[in-house]
């Protein structure tokens, strides 16, 4: 379905400067809908990012926006990194709700930046690691207890496994028989789902304020310097594990192919990109990591990929109700691409651990 917004409602809800000139779809992810909207204020162009919050996924937009307001204020106060800046509604709220119950928010557009879904440059991926490492460092003294869980058990892989088994048992779409290999892959590896949550329960790895959706396209890079200047897509900022953030960045950004590449032969983990991100991330985060966190960095890339295998296949079995899809088999194609990546990561774990050690001790 074409992504649109009701211009009269939006223009009436926020105090935009000047005259509305144009809008374009900027959606990059597979959950929210995003638009760039432009205004002319006495000859000066003013740009904003307008977003429809997916309230099927984020059930409590009010709590979510309170999280983002707190976290962005904290980052801004430190003065070391740019962060998202809201435009409040005319009645002073962080978002508005239209007659259909959709929630809309607006951010000031950050100029002079670019985003990307794939990267070949080691230097830029090093900068991505630094940006997320810095984000973690800047939030290490944020009062974690004040954060709401915007999606409870978001990265709780055992719970994801349970949801998968439930979908499999129900098989509402009658799809299970056609994805036997993919189901078997999950069941053969299910023990791995418990490793990080168990370490957390045992107190060996701490809960931290984490981003939880550290895809490459959630970093704004400076067009001139290629530095990662601003972390965006803050809906899932909540208590989590640093390993989720590190692992998911590797899963998405060190893949030699797209997350949904249909030709699985193109999918692999690029060890040079892995090295670059690890070096950048650890240059910022090394001092705060516990030994158990450092020891599981390489494994976390496997786990986050495995978690996406589980989530994409669950959604496929449920009839594609969660992730946006571009075509009927999209979630299955995503599942297969993530399984291919899991297998490749698994074969490279020893080498990856060696690389991590180099930068942990540097
Ligand atoms: P989603 O991934 O849910 O579609 P994002 O918040 O990641 O939504 O935004 C989508 C895209 O819009 C980003 O990848 C980026 O290109 C652009 N974008 C988002 N916020 C800003 C901003 N404040 N300034 C400039 N560009 C932005
Ligand atoms: C979703 O919205 P987006 O595209 O940044 C998802 C992530 C997945 C990702 C996979 C709230 O992120 O957890 O890792 O897709 N976000 C949510 O591409 O479920
Ligand atoms: Mg995004």
């Amino acid at each position: 379905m074409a992504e649109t917004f009701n211009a009269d409602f939006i223009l009436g809800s926020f105090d935009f400067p000047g005259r509305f000139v144009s809008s374009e779809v900027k959606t990059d992810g597979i959950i929210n809908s995003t638009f760039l909207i432009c205004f002319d204020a006495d000859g000066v162009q003013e740009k904003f990012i307008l977003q429809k919050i997916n309230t099927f996924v984020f059930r409590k937009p009010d709590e979510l926006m309170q999280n983002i307001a707190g976290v962005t204020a904290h980052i801004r106060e430190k003065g070391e990194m740019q962060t998202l800046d809201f435009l409040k509604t005319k009645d002073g709220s962080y978002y508005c709700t239209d007659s259909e119950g959709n929630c809309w928010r607006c951010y000031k557009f950050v100029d002079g930046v670019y985003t990307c879904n794939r990267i070949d440059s080691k230097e830029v991926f090093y900068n991505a690691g630094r940006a997320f490492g810095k984000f973690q460092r800047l939030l290490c003294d944020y009062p974690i207890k004040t954060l709401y869980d915007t999606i409870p058990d978001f990265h709780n892989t055992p719970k994801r496994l349970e949801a998968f088994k439930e979908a499999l048992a129900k098989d509402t779409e009658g799809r299970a028989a056609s994805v036997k290999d993919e189901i078997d892959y999950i069941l053969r590896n299910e023990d791995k789902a418990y490793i990080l949550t168990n370490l957390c329960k045992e107190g060996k790895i701490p809960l931290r304020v984490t981003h939880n959706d550290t895809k490459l396209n959630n970093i704004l890079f400076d067009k001139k310097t290629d530095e990662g200047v601003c972390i965006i897509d803050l809906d899932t900022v909540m208590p989590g594990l640093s390993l989720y953030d590190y692992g998911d960045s590797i899963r998405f950004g060190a893949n030699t192919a797209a997350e949904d590449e249909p030709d699985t032969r193109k999918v692999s983990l690029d060890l040079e990109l892995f090295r670059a991100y690890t070096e950048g991330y650890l240059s910022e985060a090394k001092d705060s990591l516990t030994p158990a966190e450092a020891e599981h960095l390489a494994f976390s890339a496997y786990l986050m990929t495995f978690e996406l295998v589980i989530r994409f296949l669950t959604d496929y079995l449920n009839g594609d109700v969660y992730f946006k899809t571009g075509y009927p088999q999209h979630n299955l194609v995503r599942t297969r691409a993530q399984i291919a990546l899991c297998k490749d990561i698994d074969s490279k774990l020893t080498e990856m651990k060696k690389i991590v050690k180099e930068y942990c001790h540097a």
Side-chain angles (χ1 to χ4, degrees), residues 26-34 49 51 84 105 107-111 113 115 217-218 220 232-233 235:
K26 283 289 275 182
T27 304
D28 228 349
I30 52 181
I31 301 292
N32 293 324
S33 299
T34 306
I49 287 286
Q51 252 175 355
L84 287 171
R105 68 172 166 221
Y107 293 119
K108 293 184 185 150
F109 185 81
V110 179
D111 248 319
V113 294
T115 47
N217 59 22
N218 287 330
L220 302 181
I232 61 168
D233 219 343
D235 299 333

Side-chain angles (χ1 to χ4, degrees), residues 4 27 83 89 99 109 124 171 225 227 249 291 303 328:
T4 53
T27 304
T83 189
T89 62
S99 57
F109 185 81
V124 180
D171 193 19
T225 64
E227 291 284 337
S249 280
L303 185 77

Side-chain angles (χ1 to χ4, degrees), residues 29-31 58 154 213 215 218 233 251 259 308 311 322:
I30 52 181
I31 301 292
F58 298 105
F154 188 55
D213 185 9
K215 282 156 69 162
N218 287 330
D233 219 343
R251 172 192 76 78
E259 176 181 80
L308 259 301
R311 291 178 65 195
Y322 185 92

